[in-house]
Amino acid sequence: MQNFWDFEAWGGLSLLATLLIGLLIANAMKKNIKFVRKTLIPTPVLGGLIILIITTVYEKITGQIFFNTNFYGGSGLGMLEILTYHCLALGFIASTLKRTEDKFTGKRKTEIFNTGVTTVSTYLIQGIFGLAITIGAAYLVGKIFPASGIILPFAFGQGPGQALNYGNMYEQQYGFVGGRNFGLTIAAIGFIAASIGGVVHLHILKKKKGIVISDEERHDPSEEISTKNEIPMNGTIDKLTVQIAFIFGVYALTYAVMYLLGKLMPGMISVVYGFNFLIGVLMATLCRAVMNALRRKGIVVKRYTNNFLLTHISNLFFDIMIVACIAAIRLEALAQYWWIIVALGIFGTLATYWYNLFIARKFFPAYSEEQFLMMYGMLTGTASTGVMLLRELDPHYKTPVAENLIYQNLPAIAFGFPMMLIAPTAPEHPELTLLILVGFFVLMNLILFRNSIFKFKKKSK
């Protein structure tokens, strides 16, 4: 029988309260300290860093892991990693359940397709630089896990949830000591790189083009609170409750699919569960298709999902994921890797910056700076980081960049899936994996520059 006065009964709630209080403190600092506000560092990142500083100082003084004290039930560090893992999938499921009814012209379809291809190409260039650095370091220095560099695109390009997944996979299957901490730290550096790089670029634009950057928070006009034929906000069941029920129902279905796949492929079980977010997206897409079919047939009359609420639920999961991932870092466990982490951060940031700047100016000339800031922010942090940088130039979404961000997911997942399949086995053949990534990068750029190549061939006849 569980005693409600035991630490175990309160550990999870105490942990969640700590993360949310960290977010509130960070938000207060962002609102009241001008220097902090001007850095553009996302509030969840700042909250996570505040908690990380406190926990590191505590560990230095006491020799104990802060989140593994009795107050957090003795296993808070593990719970932080579990939160990071689940919030990634839940956030993606919430985003995928949103209704999409826009129809685009041929030009807009091309721009969205090119955005998706650019996303995958950036993953690849990050993976190439990352693997080249760690393979070279392993040859020169030794005691470096050669394939660890491939975590860079998952940490920068896909966020802390995937960085944790692959770090944990390498730690469990291939003996990469500290793999989870390694992945989470690279992801944290990505958020810092997004903020610093974004601020630097905005100030360059300010000097060259006289763009005014406001410190004021801006209202997001992109979504209506409610649309026609939706269920009422306060019916027999609250509309927010309905959204959460759909999200967790889809995630339960996701778990069932992963459980079945794990039984069918026991040797790939860590890979299957590492793809929880991708399988969740597929299940959410299936759920949305079923709901649309039922509405077309007249079986269901009302719309049960609400884009406004799903957006904010998704943001909640991603905020918790970010602050939890940074809070889970143990700097002590990274002492032997610090210089590799710094090298990956620097080269990953520079490669992402220059490649996306070139692509934005080449393929999106009408709104190149907005496209660049969104892509750079997303591909070093998360989608919300990209939107944050975009709002500095386009607060009212007059350009189609925000749409590019939303709808590019389909081509990005389609083209990026092979990379996700390659990465789990990278530790077995890191050099071969590097060559495959280079070949894949060339292929993606042939697709991206298809019109230029076609015109060149036509002229040569």
Side-chain angles (χ1 to χ4, degrees), residues 320-382:
I320 293 173
M321 177 189 71
I322 293 166
V323 71
C325 100
I326 297 174
I329 295 170
R330 289 192 64 224
L331 298 178
E332 192 91 1
L334 296 167
Q336 61 177 319
Y337 301 126
W338 70 267
W339 60 279
I340 283 289
I341 289 171
V342 170
L344 289 172
I346 291 172
F347 283 96
T349 299
L350 292 176
T352 305
Y353 183 94
W354 289 113
Y355 181 74
N356 278 278
L357 187 61
F358 171 73
I359 294 297
R361 290 175 176 173
K362 172 72 176 175
F363 292 101
F364 306 90
Y367 49 90
S368 60
E369 298 300 341
E370 291 87 350
Q371 178 78 7
F372 163 73
L373 282 169
M374 182 274 290
M375 292 296 287
Y376 173 76
M378 179 182 72
L379 291 166
T380 49
T382 62

Side-chain angles (χ1 to χ4, degrees), residues 38 56 148 276:
K38 283 191 171 183
T56 303
S148 58
N276 67 325

Side-chain angles (χ1 to χ4, degrees), residues 220 223 307-317 319:
D220 183 356
E223 289 179 326
N307 284 7
F308 179 81
L309 291 175
L310 286 170
T311 295
H312 289 281
I313 294 169
S314 173
N315 290 343
L316 170 65
F317 285 130
D319 285 346

Side-chain angles (χ1 to χ4, degrees), residues 167-176 180 270:
N168 181 60
M169 195 184 302
Y170 295 163
E171 190 167 341
Q172 297 295 324
Q173 289 192 346
Y174 298 102
F176 177 24
R180 286 175 291 186
S270 63

Side-chain angles (χ1 to χ4, degrees), residues 135-302:
I135 290 171
Y139 275 118
L140 294 173
V141 181
K143 296 183 180 180
I144 297 295
F145 190 70
S148 58
I150 203 171
I151 293 177
L152 179 63
F154 297 107
F156 269 37
Q158 295 189 1
Q162 277 295 84
L164 174 66
N165 285 346
Y166 280 92
N168 181 60
M169 195 184 302
Y170 295 163
E171 190 167 341
Q172 297 295 324
Q173 289 192 346
Y174 298 102
F176 177 24
V177 178
R180 286 175 291 186
N181 266 288
F182 186 90
L184 292 174
T185 305
I186 297 292
I189 289 174
F191 287 116
I192 295 169
S195 304
I196 293 173
V199 168
V200 168
H201 191 79
L202 283 166
H203 280 285
I204 290 172
L205 292 178
K206 186 178 178 180
K207 284 185 178 180
K208 286 186 175 180
K209 300 183 180 181
I211 292 173
V212 177
I213 303 168
S214 172
D215 289 336
E216 297 297 323
E217 292 189 357
R218 298 182 173 106
H219 171 64
D220 183 356
S222 61
E223 289 179 326
E224 298 177 73
I225 294 175
S226 188
T227 56
K228 190 179 179 182
N229 288 332
E230 285 189 4
I231 58 173
M233 191 65 74
N234 293 303
T236 54
I237 182 172
D238 192 272
K239 189 184 281 191
L240 177 61
T241 306
V242 173
Q243 313 310 306
I244 293 173
F246 270 109
I247 293 165
F248 279 89
V250 169
Y251 201 35
L253 180 61
T254 301
Y255 175 67
V257 171
M258 292 191 298
Y259 180 81
L260 179 62
L261 291 174
K263 289 293 183 184
L264 293 173
M265 301 180 291
M268 296 281 287
I269 193 165
S270 63
V271 177
V272 169
Y273 281 87
F275 285 162
N276 67 325
F277 86 100
L278 181 57
I279 297 172
V281 166
L282 295 174
M283 293 303 102
T285 303
L286 176 63
C287 177
R288 194 177 66 191
V290 169
M291 288 191 292
N292 289 340
L294 291 174
R295 284 197 77 254
R296 283 195 299 270
K297 291 181 180 293
I299 297 171
V300 175
V301 178
K302 293 288 185 179

